[in-house]
Amino acid sequence: MSGFSYRQGAVLVLGAGFIWSLNGLLLRIVGDAGTWQVLFYRSLGMVPVLFLWIHQRSGGRPFAMIRAGGPAVLAGGLGLVLAFAGAIYSMQTTTIANAVFLFAAAPLLTAAFAWPVLGERVGPGTWAAIAVASVGVFVMVREGLALGEGMGNIAALGSAAGFSAFTLTLRKARLSEMTPAVLTGACLAILVAAAVVSLRGESFALPLRGWSVSMLMGAVTICGGMILFTAGTRAIPAADAGLLALVEVVLAPVWVWLFWNETVSRDTALGGAILLGALILNALSGRHRRA
């Protein structure tokens, strides 16, 4: 048992979505730091929080808990490196709205690949949601190509693919605890980002605002949201959690509009609305199957 009621679990998941929605605004505040510099410092902020969380969850045996995941922890961590880097790059090169709407396709990518990878049957409702979502993605990507933001859109879809690979890896290995893989992903991201920054001859030195906000993202908005979401999903069904977590996708463009004067184009709003509709359709389909 989770120790939380359904209502408490729902509030925790909503809180996670709210915290995650701040990432786009924080990336705008970071300033001119490059993708790999932000990834380096953000991942540094994640590691101590994740390690302390695993230490508490494992009863003081964090390394035993990490080793128990086996190769799936490493494979899932590699997927997260792609997800993290793609998310940062896309938010820096296209609008926050465009990026987060495309990130939201990750659950549907996971569902589409669940059959060939895991042998899981995909229901008609999910296939319908995937078809509808494809239309929304097409609308947004088409606009991005026209505006010269094609790489940002590709990076956003790559990020969604990375999150999907992470999820599929853990499900294939039947791992119920995802935190060790997230910690592994953060450690790998530090190594990869450090290597890229060094090879490109860039500096690790950033203004105070750059590295401090990046580490704040890792420690608070990424890890804090994940801890709230993990706790909340132990009290409510996955389909309900998926619906509630969409608050992240809805609020992220609002923060940059309010505090950064970043507007949403007509095609992004249309494509995002179609994609959100598909996600809601998929979640409702999941609730129907459970009933």
Side-chain angles (χ1 to χ4, degrees):
M1 298 294 292
S2 67
F4 295 111
S5 67
Y6 180 94
R7 180 177 296 180
Q8 290 170 327
V11 170
L12 289 172
V13 172
L14 283 171
F18 176 86
I19 292 174
W20 284 333
S21 72
L22 297 171
N23 279 315
L25 177 62
L26 290 175
L27 268 173
R28 290 290 182 264
I29 294 172
V30 161
D32 296 330
T35 297
W36 300 103
Q37 293 165 316
V38 173
L39 179 61
F40 178 81
Y41 285 107
R42 195 178 79 169
S43 301
L44 276 180
M46 292 174 65
V47 168
V49 177
L50 290 170
F51 185 81
L52 289 174
W53 174 252
I54 294 172
H55 188 277
Q56 187 273 331
R57 294 275 299 163
S58 64
R61 302 176 64 230
F63 294 107
M65 185 175 179
I66 294 169
R67 287 195 300 270
V73 168
L74 178 60
L78 288 171
L80 284 182
V81 174
L82 172 62
F84 291 158
I88 294 170
Y89 180 81
S90 64
M91 286 186 176
Q92 290 181 323
T93 54
T94 186
T95 64
I96 298 300
N98 211 59
V100 296
F101 284 142
L102 291 173
F103 298 159
L108 296 178
L109 283 175
T110 302
F113 285 103
W115 174 60
V117 175
L118 304 176
E120 295 181 1
R121 179 179 173 273
V122 180
T126 298
W127 283 122
I130 291 170
V132 172
S134 299
V135 175
V137 170
F138 171 76
V139 171
M140 287 185 287
V141 170
R142 180 190 62 181
E143 181 191 45
L145 290 172
L147 296 175
E149 298 174 352
M151 289 304 297
N153 287 330
I154 291 171
L157 290 173
S159 178
F163 281 118
S164 178
F166 167 77
T167 303
L168 289 169
T169 299
L170 268 60
R171 281 169 59 178
K172 189 173 181 65
R174 301 184 184 279
L175 298 181
S176 59
E177 181 59 66
M178 67 176 178
T179 320
V182 179
L183 174 60
T184 302
C187 292
L188 290 172
I190 291 171
L191 295 175
V192 171
V196 174
V197 169
S198 299
L199 289 172
R200 296 175 64 172
E202 297 176 349
S203 173
F204 288 95
L206 293 179
L208 174 62
R209 183 178 68 176
W211 66 261
S212 60
V213 173
S214 296
M215 293 188 73
L216 176 71
M217 274 193 287
V220 178
T221 59
I222 301 294
C223 292
M226 189 194 73
I227 290 169
L228 290 177
F229 187 81
T230 301
T233 51
R234 297 182 186 278
I236 65 175
D240 293 11
L243 277 172
L244 294 171
L246 290 178
V247 69
E248 174 195 1
V249 182
V250 174
L251 288 180
V254 173
W255 303 136
V256 290
W257 172 65
L258 286 174
F259 298 104
W260 211 258
N261 199 31
E262 182 174 300
T263 57
V264 179
S265 71
R266 183 188 63 183
D267 282 355
T268 294
L270 174 62
I274 294 171
L275 183 54
L276 280 174
L279 291 166
I280 293 170
L281 171 64
N282 186 56
L284 292 176
S285 173
R287 295 183 74 182
H288 175 72
R289 287 196 302 273
R290 186 180 77 254

